[in-house]
Amino acid sequence: IKNDPDIVEWIDYHKKMGCSKFYVFDHNSHPPLNSTITTYIDSGLVEYIYISGNFKPNPQIKVYGDCIERASLTWTSSSSLQIL
């Protein structure tokens, strides 16, 4: 995610659909998104990870690998707010 103003709406929607945990990888947002989603982070609903740098060929490869390492998952889904 990068500089997305709809992050709260996106989390609320997916929470209503039954999602119980979110891993938010914030890629160089200015300002970082953690101030926008503090309530979710504090409640444990969201694990917030700030990443910076330019990853080749793209940051998704790093993020997917990192998410798999962090989570013990039965089901997972990934989406990009830029295309939703």
Side-chain angles (χ1 to χ4, degrees):
I1 299 172
K2 186 169 184 173
N3 301 325
D4 198 298
D6 300 322
I7 183 72
V8 171
E9 180 182 358
W10 184 87
I11 291 171
D12 287 341
Y13 172 80
H14 286 85
K15 183 179 174 187
K16 288 177 185 172
M17 295 296 109
C19 295
S20 58
K21 182 72 176 182
F22 297 84
Y23 295 86
V24 174
F25 290 83
D26 182 356
H27 185 217
N28 290 328
S29 289
H30 298 287
L33 294 172
N34 61 337
S35 60
T36 305
I37 57 174
T38 300
T39 304
Y40 301 116
I41 295 167
D42 292 346
S43 73
L45 179 66
V46 168
E47 185 173 331
Y48 174 82
I49 304 96
Y50 185 84
I51 58 172
S52 61
N54 190 8
F55 302 96
K56 299 292 181 186
N58 61 47
Q60 284 90 351
I61 292 171
K62 178 192 179 344
V63 167
Y64 294 154
D66 194 0
C67 188
I68 289 168
E69 288 178 15
R70 290 173 182 272
S72 171
L73 304 170
T74 303
W75 292 94
T76 185
S77 174
S78 63
S79 60
S80 174
L81 292 177
Q82 290 84 4
I83 61 172
L84 292 178

